[in-house]
Amino acid sequence: MQWEVLDGMLAQYGTVENCEQVNTDTDTAVVNVRYGAKDQARQAMEKLNGFLMENFALKVSYIPDEMATADAPPLGGGRRGFVPRGPPRSGSPGMGARPKLQSEVPLRILVPTQFVGAIIGKEGATIRNITKQTHSKIDIHRKENAGAAEKPITVHSTPEGCSNACRTIMEIMQKEALDTKFTEEIPLKILAHNNFVGRLIGKEGRNLKKIEVDTETKITISPLQDLTLYNPERTITVKGSIEACSRAEEEVMKKVRESYENDVAAMNLQSNLIPGLNLNALGLFPGGAPGMGPSMGHNVPPPGAQGGYSFGGQGQPESETVHLFIPALAVGAIIGKQGQHIKQLSRYAGASIKISADEVTVVDANQVAPPEGMDTKQRMVIIAGPPEAQFKAQGRIFGKLKEENFFGPKEEVKLEAHIKVPSFAAGRVIGKGGKTVNELQNLTSAEVVVPRDQTPDENDQVIVKITGHFYASQLAQRKIQEILSQVRRQQQPKPSPRGEGPPLPRPSRK
């Protein structure tokens, strides 16, 4: 079971203040969970005890008093032990200051399968030695990709610890190659999430070129086409001496960590502000949110699961339509050669993505005239799909605009998005005296506007405009959808006393 799956399940029942694994020695993980309120804990226990996951039942109970260090229900289950994630996460609300994020990006490397035995050593002696010397936790994902020529290894440690472990692993492979007369070159292969590779490559490839020159290595990065929903990682292949590869690893990971920190800062670490949307299941961050174990990409969800998992009794999440406005000049980059990029994006996100033919001029309401030289011509991208698909599709569009330099190097990509809401619900989005819309803006740091003098369209809908960088915009979109689903629930006819649904319409008699 993956941490983010557990986190997603627990978050449905309330605020999780603490969640940590208390055993590592058996196949069944025992996890202690503390909720913010008693009734939340009780509800989680009632709903999750006996819950089946891939034919394994979770067992949930309160911690008996005599053992209790905290009155929290433990939650155990799943056949694969959890990856212990070091100290309990301090990122939850009210859990005190966070440690520096830097160390929390694990290093992931691919090693040829034939060297895995040597890295583990007799009865695990070699790997134990490496973890001890480098103060790291190392996972060798032997069971993944059965029959594959390479296996992923994840190293959790400080940047220095990761680099030392990496160098030691390269030395072991080189020695094993000599002993087994393996003559091919063994490059260092680093796995990094696609979202973080843009910054590593840099404008026109400058950053990557600089690392190659400085470290005397040859570096190539796997093409975007190789990405799939279940594997959002790119392979960074470094060729050179062990010394050179080791220096290159430090530089490559430095860029990846910077990218990660900027993204997390942009998110304010508040992935829990988006209820029902499991950011980590989307594989946005290596190993989920800070401090989580490595469940990246290679764990294939059960057939039919779209990337992440969605829990909750509502069945499939509802499809939503969002209109995202992008610079007209960027349309080519989003569509790609012969429509390749937009097709791929649509498949990856599980969303329908269309671009309107008409250019529109979007002028900031607060500006009398657009600044000199600024191109205000925009095109509308129409994205339809459930929340997770929206998140993925919009995230890649924001990312692509940044990669293709439609925004300056120091500039956050800010775009305007429109959501249509039933005209009778617009008041709920605005709130009394603008209270709700102001709270939305403060919470999400996006600009949210419901233009006043709108004439509802043919479906009696009006537009809500959201402007902000990616996470701010996502957060505002989720919050607005939440308000709309409350409105919809209140609109539903009450079931009849016998618990039946509303009566079916009778066939009309002609």
Side-chain angles (χ1 to χ4, degrees), residues 203-264:
K203 200 169 185 172
E204 293 157 8
R206 282 179 212 156
N207 293 353
L208 200 58
K209 195 87 215 116
K210 183 173 181 337
I211 295 177
E212 285 186 315
V213 172
D214 291 352
T215 61
E216 298 176 358
T217 52
K218 183 88 194 72
I219 304 176
T220 50
I221 296 183
S222 63
L224 262 173
Q225 287 80 316
D226 294 359
L227 295 181
T228 65
L229 189 57
Y230 303 130
N231 178 19
E233 287 175 302
R234 306 274 289 270
T235 305
I236 301 158
T237 304
V238 185
K239 292 184 172 178
S241 66
I242 286 186
E243 192 52 52
C245 286
S246 192
R247 285 203 309 274
E249 178 273 334
E250 287 172 23
E251 293 305 316
V252 164
M253 287 306 291
K254 197 152 113 201
K255 285 279 177 227
V256 168
R257 288 184 185 103
E258 276 170 22
S259 236
Y260 172 74
E261 286 179 14
N262 284 8
D263 275 15
V264 171

Side-chain angles (χ1 to χ4, degrees), residues 121-137:
K122 200 169 181 185
E123 292 170 358
T126 310
I127 194 82
R128 266 202 305 280
N129 220 352
I130 304 174
T131 53
K132 217 190 234 122
Q133 282 169 358
T134 60
H135 305 292
S136 56
K137 180 183 173 310

Side-chain angles (χ1 to χ4, degrees), residues 252-362:
V252 164
M253 287 306 291
K254 197 152 113 201
K255 285 279 177 227
V256 168
R257 288 184 185 103
E258 276 170 22
S259 236
Y260 172 74
E261 286 179 14
N262 284 8
D263 275 15
V264 171
M267 276 179 79
N268 295 331
L269 291 171
Q270 287 298 339
S271 54
N272 53 353
L273 276 177
I274 305 188
L277 178 71
N278 188 345
L279 293 192
N280 313 312
L282 299 173
L284 254 173
F285 297 124
M292 290 190 186
S295 50
M296 273 303 303
H298 296 280
N299 274 7
V300 179
Q306 273 282 306
Y309 292 76
S310 63
F311 288 96
Q314 293 85 33
Q316 281 306 301
E318 298 239 337
S319 183
E320 304 165 357
T321 301
V322 176
H323 295 168
L324 192 62
F325 291 85
I326 63 169
L329 295 172
V331 168
I334 299 299
I335 292 175
K337 278 200 183 104
Q338 295 160 343
Q340 278 305 312
H341 186 262
I342 199 165
K343 277 187 204 135
Q344 227 176 336
L345 177 56
S346 179
R347 259 204 316 273
Y348 159 73
S352 144
I353 304 170
K354 297 189 175 73
I355 298 184
S356 71
D358 308 324
E359 284 190 357
V360 286
T361 301
V362 176

